């Protein structure tokens, strides 16, 4: 019999040997996977090259990306100016165009003839491609107008009561983006709490009805405050027609995912948002948080319940997308690398 000391050493040696072997096997598996991905990329490139030569296809990445159009039909007081300023800061460096959709009196609903003009402009204005269009306009389905290409929609939403409070004070005191500009309700010193308590029109539950119609679109029912049909249409559009919808409270994550998905437009956006002096400075001035009593009174409204249901739906969808796009390490978020590749590509290239 071996002494206990030697038995222990033998067990430890065996354990270390097994760990070493497992580590080497893992390294071999990783090397094999990298080799397979390299071979697959090479085969895909050869197949594309052969097809492009045979059929005369233009497979240049720039030819495809430079035809891209993004529409950001921004909801008021959701950090939309802060985000749009990032696009303006990046457009020269990343070589794309930014265009503001300025509607008369900020009316989000276009006339039928303007809808047709807008779709035609966006679809055929080649000099403005790639293009980033932004403005306070309701969603438009380009396929309805016979357009060949369809833009990619993005947007940001905010807690309905927080958005309304911000808008209420913005109309009275403005913000630090253009502090000298006279606002429509300038001089009205009534607080949001006092407005709700007295039943004022600027803080009525109907004023909460904005995010749903912006996503619902140009149907008459979209603008019927409290419509459940509008809610379901807005949900369907958010899921099916928007590339990504972020939330104001998690704007940096929204920007990070856009940069990963659309680097042609947003390369450098995350760093700019974190360090830039101009892009995210806009804040409504003189804003006072509402009391619990004021919030509770608004939450009794059916309109709030439906708008909040839409916000919670958008938040859940955003968090789902984020969970599959980024990971957290040492308190920092980072974007996941590509996790798929192609293999078993036939017919083989000679």
């Amino acid at each position: 019999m071996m002494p206990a000391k030697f038995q222990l050493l033998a067990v430890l040696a065996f354990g270390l040997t097994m760990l070493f072997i497992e580590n080497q096997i893992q390294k071999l598996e990783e090397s094999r996977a990298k080799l397979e991905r390299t071979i697959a990329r090479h085969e895909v490139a050869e197949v594309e090259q052969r097809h492009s030569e045979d059929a005369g296809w233009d497979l240049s990445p720039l030819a495809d990306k430079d035809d891209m159009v993004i529409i950001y039909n921004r909801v008021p007081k959701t950090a939309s100016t802060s985000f749009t300023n990032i696009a303006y800061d990046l457009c020269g460096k990343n070589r794309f165009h930014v265009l503001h959709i300025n509607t008369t009196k900020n009316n989000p609903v276009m006339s039928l003839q303007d809808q047709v003009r807008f779709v035609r402009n966006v679809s055929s204005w080649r000099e403005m491609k790639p293009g980033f269009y932004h403005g306070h306009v309701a969603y438009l389905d380009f396929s309805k107008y016979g357009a060949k290409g369809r833009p990619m929609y993005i947007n940001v939403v905010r807690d309905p009561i927080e958005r309304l409070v911000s808008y209420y004070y913005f109309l009275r005191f403005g913000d630090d983006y253009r502090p000298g500009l006279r606002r429509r309700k300038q001089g009205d010193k009534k607080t949001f709490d006092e407005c709700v308590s007295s039943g004022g029109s600027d803080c009525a539950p109907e004023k909460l009805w904005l995010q749903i119609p912006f996503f619902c679109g140009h149907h008459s029912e979209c603008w019927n405050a409290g419509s459940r049909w509008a809610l379901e249409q807005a949900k369907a559009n958010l899921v099916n027609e928007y590339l990504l919808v972020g939330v104001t409270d998690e704007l940096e994550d929204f920007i990070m995912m856009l940069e990963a998905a659309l680097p042609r437009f947003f390369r450098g956006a995350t760093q700019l948002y974190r360090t830039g002096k101009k892009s995210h400075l806009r804040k409504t001035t003189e804003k006072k948080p509402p009391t619990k009593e004021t919030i509770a009174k608004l939450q009794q409204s059916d309109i709030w319940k439906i708008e909040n249901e839409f916000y919670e739906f958008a938040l859940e969808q955003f968090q789902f997308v984020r969970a599959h796009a980024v990971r957290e390490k040492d308190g920092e978020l980072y974007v996941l690398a590509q996790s798929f590749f192609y293999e078993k590509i036939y017919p083989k290239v000679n």
Side-chain angles (χ1 to χ4, degrees):
M1 294 290 292
M2 294 176 59
K5 182 176 181 181
F6 288 110
Q7 287 182 354
L8 180 60
L9 288 173
V11 170
L12 287 174
F14 178 77
L16 290 172
T17 302
M18 293 302 297
L19 285 174
F20 176 76
I21 292 173
E22 287 181 3
N23 181 259
Q24 293 301 111
I25 292 173
Q26 184 178 353
K27 287 183 178 180
L28 287 172
E29 287 292 327
E30 291 175 353
S31 297
R32 182 186 64 81
K34 288 181 180 179
L35 180 60
E36 287 180 347
R37 286 194 290 267
T38 301
I39 294 172
R41 283 194 292 267
H42 179 68
E43 289 180 343
V44 169
E46 286 187 333
V47 171
E48 289 181 342
Q49 180 64 28
R50 184 182 66 181
H51 285 177
S52 65
E53 291 173 355
D54 293 344
W57 293 350
D58 182 7
L59 295 177
S60 167
L62 282 178
D64 180 47
K65 293 177 182 177
D66 280 357
D67 200 41
M68 191 182 298
V69 171
I70 296 173
I71 294 181
Y72 172 34
N73 63 317
R74 41 193 283 199
V75 179
K77 305 313 297 176
T78 57
S80 63
T81 299
S82 300
F83 174 63
T84 302
N85 278 341
I86 291 177
Y88 277 112
D89 289 345
L90 291 174
C91 64
K93 180 180 178 182
N94 291 347
R95 296 181 295 114
F96 64 90
H97 303 275
V98 181
L99 301 89
H100 179 218
I101 310 162
N102 190 345
T103 58
T104 303
K105 296 182 179 179
N106 284 327
N107 186 355
V109 178
M110 292 182 175
S111 66
L112 179 62
Q113 56 270 33
D114 276 348
Q115 294 174 40
V116 174
R117 291 185 189 110
F118 178 67
V119 170
R120 185 186 302 129
N121 290 157
V122 172
S123 302
S124 61
W125 199 357
R126 294 197 60 82
E127 291 80 7
M128 290 295 109
K129 293 181 180 180
F132 179 94
Y133 291 76
H134 67 95
H136 298 313
V137 293
Y139 168 78
L140 272 175
D141 179 4
F142 273 54
S143 63
K144 175 181 176 180
Y145 306 88
K148 292 181 179 179
R150 298 177 65 181
M152 283 190 291
Y153 275 90
I154 61 172
N155 217 325
V156 177
V157 294
R158 187 177 186 179
D159 174 273
I161 293 179
E162 289 183 5
R163 193 206 64 79
L164 180 58
V165 170
S166 181
Y167 189 63
Y168 178 88
Y169 286 107
F170 172 74
L171 291 180
R172 286 154 178 77
F173 302 103
D175 54 29
D176 54 5
Y177 185 65
R178 290 184 291 179
L181 185 64
R182 182 174 180 81
R183 300 297 173 178
R184 180 151 47 98
K185 297 285 185 174
Q186 189 168 326
D188 181 3
K189 304 295 184 181
K190 185 185 295 184
T191 67
F192 187 81
D193 289 326
E194 292 169 343
C195 177
V196 172
S197 178
S198 62
S201 59
D202 284 349
C203 55
E206 288 76 15
K207 295 294 184 181
L208 291 166
W209 191 256
L210 193 67
Q211 297 186 134
I212 286 176
F214 260 69
F215 280 81
C216 180
H218 280 69
H219 308 285
S220 62
E221 186 66 15
C222 295
W223 300 88
N224 183 7
S227 167
R228 294 208 65 88
W229 181 91
L231 167 65
E232 297 306 321
Q233 184 66 39
K235 286 181 177 179
N237 285 344
L238 184 150
V239 171
N240 298 320
E241 308 300 335
Y242 283 77
L243 173 71
L244 184 64
V245 176
V247 293
T248 301
D249 290 341
E250 299 170 22
L251 190 62
E252 182 177 328
D253 296 358
F254 171 72
I255 293 169
M256 181 187 298
M257 286 191 284
L258 279 180
E259 181 173 357
L262 301 172
R264 175 67 181 83
F265 285 80
F266 298 107
R267 183 178 287 107
T270 307
Q271 184 65 19
L272 183 62
Y273 178 80
R274 290 172 176 169
T275 62
K277 296 180 180 179
K278 183 173 62 174
S279 293
H280 55 284
L281 59 75
R282 187 168 191 174
K283 293 180 181 178
T284 302
T285 55
E286 301 291 333
K287 184 169 63 176
K288 299 178 181 178
T291 63
K292 292 181 179 179
E293 292 75 18
T294 295
I295 294 173
K297 187 172 183 178
L298 286 173
Q299 289 177 342
Q300 293 173 5
S301 162
D302 288 338
I303 293 175
W304 173 82
K305 292 174 183 176
I306 295 177
E307 268 280 347
N308 192 65
E309 181 179 337
F310 176 72
Y311 171 73
E312 294 290 344
F313 178 84
L315 177 61
E316 182 181 1
Q317 174 66 11
F318 175 71
Q319 291 176 340
F320 176 83
V321 174
R322 182 179 60 187
H324 290 79
V326 301
R327 288 289 182 272
E328 184 176 352
K329 184 177 181 181
D330 299 327
E332 293 288 334
L333 289 177
Y334 66 95
V335 177
L336 292 176
Q338 181 172 314
S339 60
F340 74 93
F341 64 96
Y342 303 102
E343 61 180 3
K344 300 177 182 178
I345 302 170
Y346 290 87
K348 293 293 185 181
V349 179
N350 294 328

